[in-house]
Amino acid sequence: MSKLNELADLVTEGENEEVEELVKACIEDGIDPLEILNVGLVEPINVLGEQFRLGEIYVPELLIAAEAMKDGVEVLKPHLLSGDIKKAGKMLIATIKGDVHDIGKNLVAMLMESAGFEVVDLGMDVDPDDIVEAIEEDEDIQILGMSAMLTTTMYAMQDTIEALEEEGLRDRLKIMIGGAPVNQTFADKIGADVYTADAASAVEAAKALLS
Ligand code: B12
């Protein structure tokens, strides 16, 4: 079995310490950090997601695997960071109100940082008013990124954009959205600038928005 397949199995089983050790071994073997991330750490979560959808596994199994994945990502993080001190721009990112899914949001934040962006991460379950306040207080923020994974929470993105409009802040920013239930049509509908399907394309889109 390849090291990356073994890593994916360990994430699935929630073996935190073994995941950390194997990520280190993969790095020592010279495997591309992005490949370690996508194949070894993220893919098993996607597979479990499908099993969860089919009712084959439950929330605890997901949580255990998600924690193991996060520990692996922490080990990997310094190897993804480019060390480029030139700031590409400043982004505020948050998982929207009512939603505690933060794995995807964290990956976007991490890849944005590795591409030279400064990232302010407000965390998960973030109220629109808190986003507005943070943007009001920091004039350097050029991009707002919002993540939602539930069909019930995606409309909190719209609430946030409306709240920004009310405060006259909307036109100061580029707004990016992401997460399983949203797409470009939804982005257009709520007045966001762009939707992207994954973290790597989020980086490309952010660069394009600011260029
Ligand atoms: C892991 C997970 C959980 C974990 C979350 C742990 C954590 N810390 O995040 C736990 C167990 C806590 C959880 C809880 C729940 N979950 Co859940 N969960 C998932 C699961 C399996 C994977 C999500 C994930 O992390 N994927 C991996 C990451 C890397 O992918 P991603 O999030 O899509 O992110 C990528 C892109 O979307 C994009 N992106 C993401 N955000 C952003 C932001 C920007 C700005 C941009 C540009 C791009 C971008 O880039 C990311 C990286 O490439 C999904 C199933 C799925 N297939 O999505 C269900 C899923 C989202 N959950 C679901 C449900 C129903 C729930 C619960 C309600 C379950 C329950 N009964 O309690 C609760 C909700 C709690 C809440 N209030 O939020 C449903 C939602 C259904 C719906 N239509 O709304 C899903 C789709 C599963 C299903 N098919 O039924 N869940």
Side-chain angles (χ1 to χ4, degrees):
M1 194 195 296
S2 80
K3 276 207 169 73
L4 291 181
N5 288 339
E6 199 183 325
L7 181 59
D9 283 352
L10 290 172
V11 169
T12 306
E13 289 154 18
E15 301 289 354
N16 301 44
E17 281 168 25
E18 279 99 328
V19 165
E20 289 174 4
E21 289 310 314
L22 195 52
V23 170
K24 283 180 199 157
C26 290
I27 293 164
E28 278 161 19
D29 280 6
I31 303 175
D32 176 10
L34 257 188
E35 201 183 342
I36 301 175
L37 178 71
N38 290 330
V39 181
L41 297 173
V42 174
E43 187 50 28
I45 300 294
N46 290 335
V47 172
L48 286 176
E50 184 55 16
Q51 293 171 358
F52 180 65
R53 191 180 67 79
L54 297 170
E56 292 170 4
I57 61 161
Y58 299 97
V59 168
E61 282 109 312
L62 266 183
L63 266 183
I64 287 166
E67 284 304 315
M69 177 212 159
K70 276 188 190 168
D71 287 354
V73 168
E74 280 307 312
V75 177
L76 195 60
K77 213 172 169 178
H79 301 273
L80 284 162
L81 298 180
S82 64
D84 185 357
I85 42 157
K86 183 170 72 59
K87 285 275 167 282
K90 189 165 184 180
M91 176 190 217
L92 181 106
I93 195 163
T95 297
I96 207 68
K97 190 178 179 182
D99 205 316
V100 303
H101 294 89
D102 65 355
I103 297 173
K105 182 265 296 167
N106 292 344
L107 287 180
V108 173
M110 194 174 71
L111 287 199
M112 292 291 291
E113 276 179 353
S114 72
F117 284 82
E118 190 178 347
V119 178
V120 179
D121 187 346
L122 290 190
M124 58 183 159
D125 189 13
V126 183
D127 196 278
D129 289 343
D130 293 334
I131 294 178
V132 171
E133 199 182 313
I135 289 168
E136 220 160 22
E137 281 173 5
D138 189 343
E139 284 181 5
D140 293 340
I141 293 168
Q142 296 151 295
I143 299 178
L144 165 64
M146 291 186 283
S147 183
M149 291 298 285
L150 298 170
T151 44
T152 47
T153 57
M154 57 198 255
Y155 288 94
M157 293 176 165
Q158 186 169 12
D159 297 342
T160 305
I161 294 176
E162 284 169 9
L164 286 167
E165 277 165 359
E166 275 167 29
E167 297 302 318
L169 293 167
R170 168 64 187 95
D171 293 337
R172 216 192 78 192
L173 297 161
K174 300 293 181 191
I175 300 183
M176 301 174 56
I177 66 164
V182 302
N183 53 30
Q184 187 59 49
T185 309
F186 183 72
D188 294 340
K189 186 178 156 207
I190 66 170
D193 292 293
V194 75
Y195 154 83
T196 76
D198 58 61
S201 38
V203 171
E204 294 313 311
K207 285 180 181 165
L209 283 173
L210 296 188
S211 71

